[in-house]
């Protein structure tokens, strides 16, 4: 009886984790760049009362044995990196990545972080930053006399300036890829990873 209660308790704990993951997914359904998570489970070890092949008489043996499972546990909670829906916002600085990849941003402590959110803005110095104020890497500064900003499909950032009919290129927004996206550490607004990116796109 004690074993049955323990197994049932492991099931409740696993389902509590599952509900937590689903609730977080629902809460962030409108969050830009959010990737949903999925909980994976595995059964715990088994207790053998009778081993398969154990003799039942001098000439016969038990074909299956008696084994009792001891419950379930959460094996992992991983991000699902599928392509989300693209929405036109009307903001000339908003961008999105089609397919695999992350924007690289610079944190205040000098470390790099990575995000799928392309909601970009200009700070007081004219630098392109995220909605949290982190500058993208490599940094791009828009001149103060710019009349407009254009971001091409390859990430090239160009500006229109007075008395100049030809747009001036001021930088390029790059994306990076990782060999194992599921190994990224989620930090809320951004993801970080100790390993270097696989390549720049």
């Amino acid at each position: 009886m004690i074993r049955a209660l323990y197994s049932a308790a492991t099931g409740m704990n696993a389902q509590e984790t599952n509900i937590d993951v689903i609730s977080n997914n629902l809460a962030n359904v409108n969050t830009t760049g959010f990737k949903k998570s999925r909980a994976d489970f595995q059964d715990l070890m088994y207790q053998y009362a009778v081993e398969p092949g154990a003799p039942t008489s001098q000439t016969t043996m038990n074909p299956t044995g008696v084994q009792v499972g001891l419950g379930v546990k959460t094996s992992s909670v991983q991000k699902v990196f599928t392509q989300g829906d693209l929405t036109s916002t009307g903001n000339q600085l908003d961008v999105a990545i089609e397919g695999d990849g992350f924007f690289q941003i610079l944190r205040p402590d000098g470390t790099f972080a990575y995000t799928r959110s392309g909601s970009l803005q200009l700070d007081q110095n004219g630098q392109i930053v995220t909605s949290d104020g982190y500058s993208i890497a490599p940094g791009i500064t828009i001149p103060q006399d710019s009349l407009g900003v254009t971001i091409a499909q390859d990430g090239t950032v160009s500006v229109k300036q007075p008395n100049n009919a030809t747009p001036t290129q001021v930088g390029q927004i790059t994306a990076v890829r990782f060999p194992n996206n599921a190994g990224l550490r989620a930090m809320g607004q951004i993801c970080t990873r100790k390993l270097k990116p696989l390549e720049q796109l």
Side-chain angles (χ1 to χ4, degrees), residues 96 98 151-156 172-173:
E98 288 187 292
I151 302 176
Q153 288 188 348
D154 63 354
T156 301
Q172 185 175 21
I173 299 174

Side-chain angles (χ1 to χ4, degrees), residues 8-41:
T10 63
M12 289 188 293
N13 287 334
Q15 286 307 311
E16 181 181 11
T17 301
N18 193 32
I19 291 173
D20 290 341
V21 171
I22 293 172
S23 299
N24 186 57
N25 291 340
L26 291 174
N28 287 281
V29 69
N30 291 320
T31 301
T32 303
F34 175 79
K35 294 302 178 188
K36 68 179 181 179
S37 299
R38 182 188 72 201
D40 296 325
F41 305 94

